[in-house]
Amino acid sequence: EKPGAPTVAELETMRDEAKAAGVTVLMGYNKNVCKYVRKAREYSAENGGTITFVSNNTYENTPASLGECFERNREGMLKNMVIHELALLVSFFDVSVDTIESCTADKDFSSLQTLKGPSGNDFTDFDKIKFTIKTKSGKEVTVVGDRCGGEVSWAAVEKDGKEVFRHSMPDDEDKANVSVLEKEYPGAMPYFFSQDPDYITVKEKVSAQCATGAEAEGVATIDIAVETLRVAEYLT
């Protein structure tokens, strides 16, 4: 389960122990196999342009709702909600602590709050964040996370300042499945429904590797997870 450990040092220890024992460790970064991510990457590879990954969630924009979220996910937004997007950057955009040239925050969009959680203690975190990373090799990618942004996430491609492609999750194909799952599992977080096909894909790929030795293509390794957590700590 992402991010694998609370700190880079702890995750590196896990990685080293696994390697010493000859054990492969794969991570549940399901967005690595998401359809909307794949579609945007394919479009950009074929037509050029820069990608923006937008991750939304459905918390109410109230101090009580966000305060509960901040306390329950006290590792912080960069190590929790948008850690998936950081894993995409590490996996597919050659982003690492060593390759980052710059990280530019959109301060007009981003919002950092200190709120009381159910325990009565104060917790400080982002309720929304936006930043653009440029690498030393010239690659550029933008990440947006909004805890109160709604049920739809997407990846968009821009060229010359204009959006030329967007694919959303859920798309029209996914929505029928979402309706079925909502009835079967009432009260579950909406992202479980929209990302259900991706969870299945990750499990099938990992199961196939266990059974046949075939590489679980696209599934994040623990090495990817270590670098992802390094990037999260670096940005924090």
Side-chain angles (χ1 to χ4, degrees), residues 100-106 130-135 234-235:
I100 292 175
E101 176 72 28
S102 66
C103 179
T104 305
D106 185 332
K130 181 178 181 180
F131 56 89
T132 299
I133 287 180
K134 293 183 180 180
T135 68
Y234 174 78
L235 295 180

Side-chain angles (χ1 to χ4, degrees), residues 86 89-91 93-97 99-100 133 135 141 227 231:
L86 295 183
L89 271 55
V90 172
S91 298
F93 295 86
D94 300 323
V95 170
S96 69
V97 171
T99 64
I100 292 175
I133 287 180
T135 68
V141 61
E227 190 57 42
V231 171

Side-chain angles (χ1 to χ4, degrees), residues 54-74:
V54 179
S55 175
N56 286 322
N57 214 323
T58 56
Y59 292 95
E60 295 179 14
N61 192 7
T62 64
S65 178
L66 288 172
E68 186 278 332
C69 173
F70 287 5
E71 180 168 0
R72 181 164 43 83
N73 302 293
R74 66 189 68 186

Side-chain angles (χ1 to χ4, degrees), residues 42-201:
E42 289 172 348
Y43 183 94
S44 178
E46 191 171 322
N47 301 281
T50 59
I51 297 180
T52 296
F53 293 111
V54 179
S55 175
N56 286 322
N57 214 323
T58 56
Y59 292 95
E60 295 179 14
N61 192 7
T62 64
S65 178
L66 288 172
E68 186 278 332
C69 173
F70 287 5
E71 180 168 0
R72 181 164 43 83
N73 302 293
R74 66 189 68 186
E75 63 268 35
M77 195 180 204
L78 284 169
K79 286 188 176 182
N80 184 272
M81 181 175 170
V82 300
I83 195 77
H84 283 283
E85 282 64 40
L86 295 183
L88 295 175
L89 271 55
V90 172
S91 298
F92 305 121
F93 295 86
D94 300 323
V95 170
S96 69
V97 171
D98 295 332
T99 64
I100 292 175
E101 176 72 28
S102 66
C103 179
T104 305
D106 185 332
K107 296 182 179 180
D108 291 333
F109 178 89
S110 304
S111 172
L112 183 72
Q113 298 191 57
T114 298
L115 298 170
K116 290 192 179 299
S119 66
N121 296 322
D122 288 337
F123 295 88
T124 300
D125 198 1
F126 293 97
D127 59 277
K128 58 182 181 176
I129 193 171
K130 181 178 181 180
F131 56 89
T132 299
I133 287 180
K134 293 183 180 180
T135 68
K136 294 173 183 176
S137 63
K139 294 185 178 181
E140 180 177 328
V141 61
T142 297
V143 171
V144 181
D146 189 343
R147 296 191 187 277
C148 308
E151 297 181 5
V152 179
S153 297
W154 65 85
V157 180
E158 289 188 5
K159 291 182 71 175
D160 302 320
K162 295 182 180 180
E163 183 177 306
V164 293
F165 176 87
R166 177 185 292 202
H167 199 96
S168 300
M169 177 188 69
D171 61 13
D172 291 339
E173 183 182 2
D174 300 328
K175 287 177 182 177
N177 186 47
V178 169
S179 298
V180 172
L181 293 173
E182 284 176 337
K183 294 176 182 177
E184 190 171 352
Y185 303 101
M189 289 294 287
Y191 67 83
F192 285 125
F193 305 139
S194 60
Q195 297 181 36
D196 178 70
D198 308 316
Y199 293 124
I200 292 173
T201 299

